[in-house]
Amino acid sequence: MEERKKKIIAGSLTLVVLAFLCGLYWQNHKETTTAGNLSTQDYTIGVIDLKQAMQAHPRYNDLVKLRKERSTLAAAAAVKTDFNLVNPPPVIDAQAFDDSVKQQSSQQIEENKIKLKQTVLNQKKTLGASVAAQREADLEAVREKYLNVIFNLQLQYDNLKANNEVKQQLAADIEAERQKRNQELDAVNRQYDKKVQQSLQVFIAQKQKEQQAFETALLQQKQQEAAANRQQAQSRDDQTMKDQAMPFSVDDIMQKNEALNNKDKEITLLEDLIKQDIAGIAAKIAITNHLECVFANVEVNIHALDITDDVIKEFQTNKPVPKNE
């Protein structure tokens, strides 16, 4: 009987350790029963949720702490490695700044041209208003010149009763005088329009010179601003790279990596200790419940006894003394 117990314990420990190494995930659909609920006579196989059992271990919080410390060390080691492998700062692309200069300049130039067009229209109205009185006086003089002539011809035409050759001639004369009057009126208008247009052309020429000077000055200003911005951007990048490129030596990196490796060893050692405690308790429960083997994190459906709660209860009532303390 004693020999049989020894074989069960040895077999249970072996299977538990093997299950640990396999790292299988335990699904909730297993056909299992806790040891405290039903009779265990029909069970020869036990199963345990390794994750829950480990979380119940008194040293689990120490394991969590070690893992957090490991994450911090890993982040520090990665940062130092990145700083030492950093490339020289890239040269700022001048094209982007040049494109920005063109875009900003084009927008301001277009806005100024729109203002210039409105200024020209306003000047045309001003010039027209300045000669309006004299224009109207000259037009009135032309109308007065032909008023009596056309009136007398029209009166003679109206007094003739019969539509004879004399009346037809009068009609032709009236039309001829009206045409001459209109031609002289058109000439007066053309004269003043030309005068206004000539003055306006002088004004436009001056404004075009001002516009050209504005565009040239604006382009130079924007180019200078772009060059200054480009230099500032390059300086910022250079300074950022200098700030980041701290003097970390190869020894520093090796020390960090060594500390990281040591932390990994601590974690592995504590994990093994926790698993050994779980294996020991699982072996006792297996003997008590006449189980031939115990599997951890079973992934397939099996007819087995779930001893997870019993292991957790054992931790809560009889805390094992850590073997590394």
Side-chain angles (χ1 to χ4, degrees), residues 44 108 119 125 136 190 207 231 252 255 301 314:
T44 59
Q108 289 187 248
T119 301
K125 291 179 181 179
E136 185 58 31
R190 285 196 301 272
K207 291 300 178 182
Q231 182 60 41
D252 293 327
Q255 289 175 3
N301 289 328
E314 182 71 18

Side-chain angles (χ1 to χ4, degrees), residues 36 81 84 86 100 127 136 139 145 155 160 179 238 251 258 267 290 293 319:
T81 301
N84 280 272
V86 72
S100 177
L127 291 173
E136 185 58 31
L139 290 173
K145 175 181 176 181
L155 184 61
L160 290 175
Q179 288 182 3
D238 292 346
D251 290 339
E258 183 178 359
I267 291 172
H290 308 289
C293 57
K319 294 184 179 179

Side-chain angles (χ1 to χ4, degrees), residues 55 62 95 106 121 139 149 157 261 291 302 307:
Q55 290 174 346
D62 294 338
Q95 186 63 43
S106 297
L121 290 175
L139 290 173
V149 175
Y157 178 85
N261 291 333
L291 302 177
I302 60 174
I307 65 171

Side-chain angles (χ1 to χ4, degrees), residues 86-93 230 233-238 240-241:
V86 72
N87 293 321
V91 178
I92 296 297
D93 183 11
R230 184 168 63 248
Q234 187 69 59
S235 298
R236 285 196 302 268
D237 287 354
D238 292 346
T240 299
M241 301 303 290

Side-chain angles (χ1 to χ4, degrees), residues 17-228:
V17 172
L18 286 175
F20 289 158
L21 295 176
C22 292
L24 302 175
Y25 289 96
W26 186 26
Q27 304 294 329
N28 290 327
H29 61 268
K30 302 184 306 301
E31 183 187 349
T32 61
T33 306
T34 59
N37 292 334
L38 298 177
S39 173
T40 61
Q41 295 177 356
D42 296 333
Y43 295 101
T44 59
I45 297 175
V47 293
I48 182 172
D49 186 329
L50 181 58
K51 182 177 180 181
Q52 290 185 31
M54 290 184 69
Q55 290 174 346
H57 194 280
R59 294 294 305 277
Y60 183 74
N61 289 335
D62 294 338
L63 180 61
V64 172
K65 182 180 178 181
L66 287 176
R67 287 172 176 172
K68 289 182 178 179
E69 292 174 355
R70 196 244 181 234
S71 297
T72 302
L73 287 174
V79 168
K80 286 201 170 187
T81 301
D82 290 342
F83 281 149
N84 280 272
L85 296 179
V86 72
N87 293 321
V91 178
I92 296 297
D93 183 11
Q95 186 63 43
F97 290 89
D98 292 342
D99 292 342
S100 177
V101 166
K102 292 178 181 178
Q103 183 178 1
Q104 294 179 12
S105 300
S106 297
Q107 182 176 355
Q108 289 187 248
I109 289 172
E110 188 61 30
E111 291 175 354
N112 205 62
K113 284 182 177 180
I114 293 174
K115 293 179 181 179
L116 178 58
K117 289 180 181 179
Q118 188 60 47
T119 301
V120 170
L121 290 175
N122 293 338
Q123 181 65 12
K124 185 177 181 180
K125 291 179 181 179
T126 300
L127 291 173
S130 67
V131 298
Q134 187 60 47
R135 180 199 293 259
E136 185 58 31
D138 290 349
L139 290 173
E140 185 61 25
V142 172
R143 287 191 286 268
E144 286 290 338
K145 175 181 176 181
Y146 287 94
L147 179 63
N148 290 332
V149 175
I150 295 174
F151 178 77
N152 290 331
L153 290 173
Q154 186 67 46
L155 184 61
Q156 294 177 35
Y157 178 85
D158 293 339
N159 289 332
L160 290 175
K161 304 298 182 181
N163 187 11
N164 52 27
E165 294 181 359
V166 175
K167 192 171 185 176
Q168 292 176 0
Q169 183 59 46
L170 286 172
D173 292 342
I174 291 171
E175 183 61 27
E177 291 300 322
R178 286 175 176 171
Q179 288 182 3
K180 288 193 293 183
R181 180 197 62 187
N182 292 339
Q183 288 174 355
E184 289 190 29
L185 289 173
D186 290 342
V188 171
N189 282 322
R190 285 196 301 272
Q191 176 186 353
Y192 281 97
D193 287 344
K194 182 178 180 180
K195 184 177 181 180
V196 169
Q197 189 63 28
Q198 287 175 342
S199 299
L200 187 62
Q201 287 300 323
V202 174
F203 178 82
I204 291 174
Q206 179 61 33
K207 291 300 178 182
Q208 286 178 338
K209 290 182 180 179
E210 293 176 4
Q211 176 68 16
Q212 185 63 41
F214 167 78
E215 293 179 8
T216 301
L218 177 65
L219 184 59
Q220 291 177 349
Q221 175 190 346
K222 293 300 181 182
Q223 288 175 339
Q224 291 173 356
E225 291 177 357

Side-chain angles (χ1 to χ4, degrees), residues 293-311:
C293 57
V294 177
F295 292 103
N297 298 343
V298 177
E299 190 178 40
V300 296
N301 289 328
I302 60 174
H303 184 68
L305 180 66
D306 186 353
I307 65 171
T308 303
D309 291 341
D310 297 273
V311 173

